[in-house]
Amino acid sequence: AGEESMYVSVGGVENGGASAERVMRSAFEVLDDNCVSLKAQYALARRVVLWRGAPPSDSGGVDAASCRAVAACIAEVHEGSGVLEVPILAAARHERGRGHGSVLVALLVQMGAALGCRLLVVSATTESARFWLTMGLHTPAGCSPEIRATLRELAQSSQRRGFANSIAMAMPLPRVPRRRGDAGAGGGGWLSCGAAGGGALAAAFARLLARVPPEQALAAADAPSALGYEDINSAGSFKLAADGRRVPIAYSPGERMQIGVPYAKLQAFCTPGSRGWGVRASVPVARGTVVVEVRGRMLSDAEYAEVSDTSYIVSYDDATLALKRAAGENELFFDLREQGNVMRLINDCMEAPNLQLVYHPQPDLSQNPPVLPRRAYLVAKHDIPPMVELTWNYGPHYERPWLDAQAGVSHAREEAPPKRRRRSRPSRPSRRPRRCCRSGPRRSLATARRGRGTSGGRPSPRSSSRSSSLPPHARRTSGRSCARRRSQPPPRRCWCTGAGRGRRRCWRWSWRTLSSFPTRRTSSPGR
């Protein structure tokens, strides 16, 4: 960077002054004043500011003319759990896209390892989640079980300073032997980034130097010749006839969505690492903007079965595929292997994609014939700054063998263990007196039996009006059925209506099963 150098300072609310506060407030529309001024729950936190320019003066002051703040964050160490938490990290608005945030994160990793912390936890927004993924942090679903347990304990103890609309992301810190004389969490002062050293910082500077400038990226129109595919973005999707000629897919005006990003503003660039080529936009993309349409050769089920490599094939979801098959449609899959547009270069991201696949038009089964989706678009999930890589989730059916090789991190969704089915026990009749729904006061079991005519004595007026007051098991019958009925216990009956199993019962018939309540009642009786 010529004669400029980079420095980092750690201190209290006075560290960075108005420059650091301006950097942090520029990244958020609404920001808690307690967080910026380190008050209330943030009283133990510290400011970490990254400077660029001439070295500071001997008195520790900052010369605004020769040194400027390019990134700042709030950091706090939870000594009990060994966690370094960063609730806010922001880069200056005019310095974004130059790698200063990556350098500050690398410095935080070095500081956390030197302080003996074992975990770095940040509060990421939907816009910044992609940046934290490139830094090596993951959401709880992509972390190891030990890290997820630490995050749960941190949340239950009310120590985490996350915001309401933020996502907790974490990464393990390297184990570095702590040397005598290292600054503690409350220390302050200046440190040259060159003197900090460390593998994480060296990797951050390597990423900074390896950033692809705009002049070295490929335009959407130049990418096909360089990467070996045919661009049909202007021609549209098609299908092959029996004689091999291309038949364009005809769409009605109602099946079209307005694309908000010009195709010439999309760039293909070589991403750092092993992700290959990616796509970014040279202009900012607002939330809900249609970025690009999925265009390629349409395949049927029979044609899809003959394809060996399905890595460049986009399909509808399972529910939409079932509806289209039931309606007799054959255009079910988009084949982008040889013919397509720049959409085929957009990489996969499971944890924090900034684009989502939308089918158009929306299905409407009430019309005749039913309206089903025929086109697919990629729509921005949130505001995307310029020169940020565009990603979308390929879906659960896409195979990701490289994720299984990452040690200690499982990105696959863990299946919950099968629940142990509880053994059902036979219900036992309660011996306590019950209150009948019509008779008011409680009566003992013997009184109730005498009232219904099963235990002898004078029958009740309600049971004497019936043709037979005896239950079926007590009636005189001949043959084996009589012995079988005598060996079985008498059926339980309601005291007021005489109804048995399978009939309408009194709601006081049994407290042990919910099926004992009546099917129809005018009021909810009290217990």
Side-chain angles (χ1 to χ4, degrees):
E3 297 179 356
E4 290 186 341
S5 302
M6 300 184 71
Y7 298 87
V8 61
S9 61
V10 183
V13 66
E14 71 283 350
N15 180 32
S19 300
E21 182 176 350
R22 192 183 311 111
V23 169
M24 290 185 288
R25 291 189 181 276
S26 65
F28 301 92
E29 297 180 357
V30 179
L31 188 60
D32 189 4
D33 294 336
N34 293 331
C35 184
V36 178
S37 57
L38 302 183
K39 295 180 181 179
Q41 67 269 28
Y42 301 97
L44 299 179
R46 293 293 180 266
R47 279 188 184 180
V48 183
V49 185
L50 181 65
W51 303 86
R52 188 165 187 172
S57 61
D58 297 337
S59 60
V62 178
D63 187 4
S66 60
C67 194
R68 64 188 186 277
V70 295
C73 71
I74 303 296
E76 182 180 356
V77 176
H78 302 286
E79 298 181 358
S81 55
V83 173
L84 174 62
E85 183 182 2
V86 181
I88 289 179
L89 188 143
R93 185 178 297 274
H94 60 281
E95 298 284 351
R96 293 177 185 172
R98 300 185 180 181
H100 296 138
S102 303
V103 175
L104 185 55
V105 172
L107 289 170
L108 290 173
V109 171
Q110 294 295 113
M111 292 178 186
L115 293 173
C117 299
R118 58 185 182 88
L119 195 65
L120 174 63
V121 179
V122 302
S123 298
T125 60
T126 54
E127 293 82 1
S128 63
R130 178 62 193 166
F131 165 77
W132 291 113
L133 281 175
T134 58
M135 295 295 103
L137 286 86
H138 297 280
T139 58
C143 296
S144 62
E146 294 79 8
I147 296 179
R148 289 200 297 266
T150 304
L151 292 177
R152 285 194 300 268
E153 294 176 0
L154 200 65
Q156 292 173 0
S157 60
S158 302
Q159 294 182 4
R160 198 173 78 84
R161 311 302 180 196
F163 298 96
N165 297 328
S166 62
I167 308 170
M169 302 183 70
M171 68 172 292
L173 295 177
R175 296 297 179 90
V176 177
R178 188 170 180 178
R179 296 172 297 180
R180 183 177 299 179
D182 288 346
W190 292 82
L191 181 64
S192 171
C193 292
L201 189 59
F205 278 109
R207 286 194 300 267
L208 182 62
L209 296 176
R211 295 177 65 89
V212 180
E215 58 271 11
Q216 295 184 9
L218 296 176
D222 301 333
S225 58
L227 302 180
Y229 67 93
E230 180 184 355
D231 195 317
I232 60 170
N233 187 72
S234 59
S237 301
F238 67 93
K239 62 181 179 180
L240 289 181
D243 54 357
R245 59 185 179 86
R246 296 184 181 182
V247 179
I249 305 297
Y251 299 106
S252 63
E255 296 176 337
R256 181 176 180 271
M257 294 181 67
Q258 184 66 32
I259 299 179
V261 179
Y263 194 69
K265 299 298 182 180
L266 299 178
Q267 300 177 357
F269 69 103
C270 187
T271 60
S274 59
R275 294 174 58 85
W277 287 87
V279 178
R280 64 190 182 190
S282 60
V283 294
V285 181
R287 176 184 177 182
T289 303
V290 180
V291 178
V292 67
E293 183 186 358
V294 183
R295 293 183 177 179
R297 175 192 169 189
M298 303 303 298
L299 301 180
S300 61
D301 281 328
E303 294 172 333
Y304 177 76
E306 299 176 357
V307 177
S308 58
D309 183 15
T310 61
S311 56
Y312 284 93
I313 292 183
V314 181
S315 68
Y316 298 94
D317 54 18
D318 296 339
T320 305
L321 284 176
L323 293 175
K324 293 176 75 67
R325 290 189 180 106
E329 297 188 9
N330 293 326
E331 295 83 13
L332 305 177
F333 304 93
F334 298 88
D335 186 5
L336 284 73
R337 292 175 299 168
E338 299 178 359
Q339 298 86 15
N341 53 2
V342 75
M343 182 267 170
R344 69 190 298 276
L345 302 177
I346 300 179
N347 284 323
D348 171 49
C349 182
M350 295 181 60
E351 298 183 62
N354 48 25
L355 302 178
Q356 62 180 354
L357 190 65
V358 175
Y359 307 122
H360 187 77
Q362 296 295 328
D364 188 3
L365 304 180
S366 61
Q367 299 186 16
N368 189 17
V371 177
L372 296 177
R374 299 186 63 200
R375 309 180 82 166
Y377 296 87
L378 287 180
V379 182
K381 298 181 63 176
H382 51 78
D383 295 343
I384 306 174
M387 311 308 291
V388 173
E389 184 184 1
L390 305 177
T391 58
W392 68 289
N393 190 354
Y394 287 2
H397 301 294
Y398 184 72
E399 297 182 359
R400 303 172 176 89
W402 60 87
L403 296 180
D404 300 336
Q406 296 183 2
V409 178
S410 175
H411 293 264
R413 182 175 297 178
E414 297 182 357
E415 297 182 358
K419 295 184 178 181
R420 191 174 181 181
R421 183 171 294 181
R422 198 172 178 181
R423 218 173 185 181
S424 59
R425 298 181 178 179
S427 59
R428 299 178 181 178
S430 177
R431 291 294 182 181
R432 67 170 187 169
R434 292 184 175 87
R435 186 190 301 273
C436 182
C437 62
R438 297 188 181 181
S439 61
R442 294 180 180 271
R443 298 182 297 175
S444 63
L445 190 61
T447 306
R449 286 178 177 175
R450 287 196 300 270
R452 69 181 182 182
T454 57
S455 300
R458 187 172 59 184
S460 62
R462 186 176 300 274
S463 62
S464 61
S465 62
R466 297 180 180 271
S467 59
S468 177
S469 60
L470 295 179
H473 78 280
R475 297 174 186 172
R476 287 183 175 271
T477 55
S478 59
R480 298 181 180 180
S481 61
C482 179
R484 188 182 300 110
R485 289 181 178 177
R486 288 177 182 176
S487 61
Q488 294 178 354
R492 300 169 63 184
R493 293 175 172 271
C494 175
W495 301 331
C496 59
T497 61
R501 294 183 182 273
R503 301 181 183 179
R504 185 173 179 270
R505 309 166 192 171
C506 172
W507 69 275
R508 290 287 183 182
W509 185 72
S510 175
W511 284 109
R512 294 186 178 275
T513 57
L514 294 177
S515 60
S516 305
F517 288 89
T519 57
R520 187 181 302 173
R521 63 180 180 223
T522 58
S523 62
S524 178
R527 189 163 181 171

